Amino acid sequence: MKLEPLFSIQGNKLTKISDNSPVDPKTFKQVEISWAKVEIEDESYNEEFLAALREELKPLDTQNQFVILCPVVDRKFETPEETEAFINAMNHTARRIKDCTCVAGFLLPDELLEKGIDGDSPAAAFMETLAIKHAQYVYFVPEKSEKKYNLNEAIFFASLVLI
């Protein structure tokens, strides 16, 4: 089941596709998703946690409320294999909540952003992996991270909004 995108990015601003009206992403609920809670062992996912997350999100679909999922890197994140494991865990999370229309997208954590967002970066790999089956998501970057990693000149992903 693929969902149609509800939001788009125009000039680094979030807009609602249905009427092209601007949207302030600061009005969205932010839900933290702990990597350690999602992936309890290497490539073993906590399906009970993910089912509970889905149950938390589904009522928001009918309330016209939107959510930004905020992954938390709370495990060792130093090697390409660990980066891939994190991306896979968040992609698995997206699969388990694929029918939740309230999810606008994901906040990119600093651990993904510190190497920029170009084609070879962990941030690019994260967005590209999720986009294969979840193209409806937009991606968010905290303002502090934009300044910290000087992303204002590096931004070329259209799906990037600062919050």
Side-chain angles (χ1 to χ4, degrees):
M1 168 185 203
K2 285 191 177 185
L3 295 178
E4 293 297 318
L6 299 176
F7 302 99
S8 70
I9 308 300
Q10 295 180 7
N12 210 29
K13 300 288 183 201
L14 189 66
T15 59
K16 199 177 232 182
I17 290 175
S18 63
D19 62 5
N20 207 30
S21 62
V23 179
D24 182 358
K26 292 177 183 161
T27 64
F28 293 172
K29 180 179 179 180
Q30 293 187 24
V31 176
E32 287 191 352
I33 307 294
S34 163
W35 178 16
K37 284 185 182 175
V38 172
E39 187 178 34
I40 47 181
E41 295 178 29
D42 288 349
E43 298 181 38
S44 178
Y45 302 111
N46 185 342
E47 298 300 338
E48 289 177 13
F49 170 77
L50 295 171
L53 174 63
R54 184 184 177 279
E55 291 302 312
E56 177 186 342
L57 296 173
K58 279 309 285 178
L60 300 177
D61 287 351
T62 59
Q63 298 171 8
N64 202 31
Q65 291 185 329
F66 295 99
V67 172
I68 299 170
L69 297 180
C70 305
V72 176
V73 178
D74 55 356
R75 294 176 49 185
K76 192 174 160 213
F77 190 84
E78 297 171 0
T79 67
E81 294 79 18
E82 290 161 347
T83 301
E84 182 178 1
F86 172 76
I87 293 169
N88 290 341
M90 292 305 120
N91 192 43
H92 187 79
T93 299
R95 276 198 302 270
R96 292 296 175 254
I97 59 165
K98 68 183 175 193
D99 65 335
C100 295
T101 58
C102 67
V103 178
F106 281 79
L107 183 76
L108 299 175
D110 277 1
E111 291 83 355
L112 289 178
L113 295 169
E114 58 191 17
K115 293 184 180 171
I117 58 172
D118 66 2
D120 295 330
S121 71
F126 182 90
M127 291 184 278
E128 289 167 4
T129 299
L130 268 66
I132 293 169
K133 298 241 178 183
H134 311 286
Q136 77 273 21
Y137 293 143
V138 293
Y139 297 92
F140 302 86
V141 173
E143 270 187 272
K144 65 177 177 55
S145 298
E146 181 219 11
K147 293 172 185 164
K148 182 177 180 180
Y149 301 116
N150 196 24
L151 297 176
N152 57 337
E153 294 178 13
I155 292 173
F156 69 93
F157 279 94
S159 53
L160 197 58
V161 174
L162 307 176
I163 62 169

